[in-house]
Amino acid sequence: MAAALGYDGVEVMVWTDAVSQDAGALRGLARHYGVPVLSVHSPCLLVTQRVWSSDPWERLRRSAVLAEELAAPTVVVHPPFTWQRDYARTFVDGLGRIGDDHPGVRFAVENMYPVRMAGREFVPYMPGWNPTETGYPAYTLDLSHCAASHSDAIEMADKMGAGLAHVHLGDGTGEGRDEHLVPGRGTQPCAELLASLAGRGFTGSVAVEVSTRRARSRADRESDLREALEFARQHLAAPTPVDAR
């Protein structure tokens, strides 16, 4: 579908699907369709805690190896969960060490969001959902997560500065949940953020990350993904200067 719609590449989410874990299979698909893998998302979601290993450092190491084998320069990683205390305690230093072991890969820590349930709010990440408060060499900016956390995406990009390595392009309405809407259908400054990237010296990839679960047919799914691609290309082609802040 990415090839048919004209996408320049894909991000692979390492999942329980064996193909997503297999460099050879992914290289074959990339060659067959002419669509390279430009980023790898490490298996750090709740449902992927046993993929490859129960050790989060081993999962991250294998993600780096997969990225190297696919010539993908970016590995996306989430902050540790609160119950991963040992991992969280060594996360900053550990990222530095694994970065030294894999110098061709940027480990881009993604901004997350508080979880709201039954009128209550809690943060399932350590030291928090906002990686700029800790500080890392590289970041992934997710606009849908900005909506869910009621964050200003432009301000967050400013805080990430030269560390902004990767963008997850989706939209949200700010209802407090992760919506991943087609860009332009929510309230986030998707167009403004895209137009600012050239002025920020951004050299990474913009990965469309939209939910198509409610699409009633393949045609509807293709329509949503085509609209997202056209939105991205339109606004990436219209750069605006960025004021130093």
Side-chain angles (χ1 to χ4, degrees):
M1 190 175 288
L5 296 176
Y7 277 81
D8 299 312
V10 294
E11 175 169 324
V12 168
M13 169 75 80
V14 179
W15 200 252
T16 54
D17 183 337
V19 173
S20 72
Q21 306 170 28
D22 187 327
L26 292 169
R27 277 198 303 269
L29 288 169
R31 284 196 299 267
H32 179 77
Y33 290 103
V35 178
V37 176
L38 300 179
S39 49
V40 170
H41 197 305
S42 181
C44 50
L45 279 68
L46 275 175
V47 295
T48 56
Q49 293 298 293
R50 297 289 177 179
V51 170
W52 280 335
S53 170
S54 60
D55 178 1
W57 287 117
E58 176 62 11
R59 294 199 299 272
L60 197 54
R61 185 195 69 79
R62 291 187 64 167
S63 298
V65 171
L66 179 63
E68 288 171 335
E69 292 180 344
L70 297 171
T74 303
V75 168
V76 178
V77 58
H78 291 179
F81 288 115
T82 53
W83 56 85
Q84 296 174 309
R85 294 183 180 179
D86 290 341
Y87 179 49
R89 180 171 45 80
T90 60
F91 188 60
V92 175
D93 292 340
L95 275 185
R97 288 193 296 271
I98 201 169
D100 291 341
D101 292 339
H102 303 276
V105 176
R106 296 187 80 179
F107 296 87
V109 184
E110 186 172 1
N111 62 296
M112 302 305 291
Y113 53 92
V115 174
R116 299 176 179 89
M117 296 177 63
R120 296 185 178 184
E121 178 178 300
F122 67 96
V123 177
Y125 306 101
M126 288 182 66
W129 59 265
N130 183 351
T132 66
E133 293 181 353
T134 300
Y136 299 97
Y139 301 96
T140 294
L141 175 61
D142 187 304
L143 283 98
S144 177
H145 293 178
C146 285
S149 64
H150 300 161
S151 303
D152 184 320
I154 302 300
E155 181 179 331
M156 184 164 288
D158 292 341
K159 290 180 179 178
M160 291 177 174
L164 177 57
H166 192 62
V167 173
H168 280 170
L169 179 61
D171 212 335
T173 62
E175 291 185 353
R177 58 188 177 89
D178 192 15
E179 297 171 282
H180 287 295
L181 303 177
V182 172
R185 296 185 186 177
T187 60
Q188 295 306 292
C190 298
E192 183 182 355
L193 186 281
L194 291 175
S196 78
L197 291 178
R200 296 177 186 278
F202 178 80
T203 59
S205 296
V206 175
V208 167
E209 192 174 77
V210 300
S211 175
T212 60
R213 291 189 182 99
R214 295 186 178 180
R216 292 170 293 182
S217 66
R218 181 182 176 90
D220 287 346
R221 182 172 287 110
E222 289 182 350
S223 178
D224 283 349
L225 293 174
R226 183 179 295 108
E227 181 181 333
L229 177 60
E230 290 173 353
F231 183 101
R233 287 203 170 132
Q234 175 187 348
H235 294 290
L236 283 169
T240 58
V242 178
D243 296 331
R245 299 186 184 183

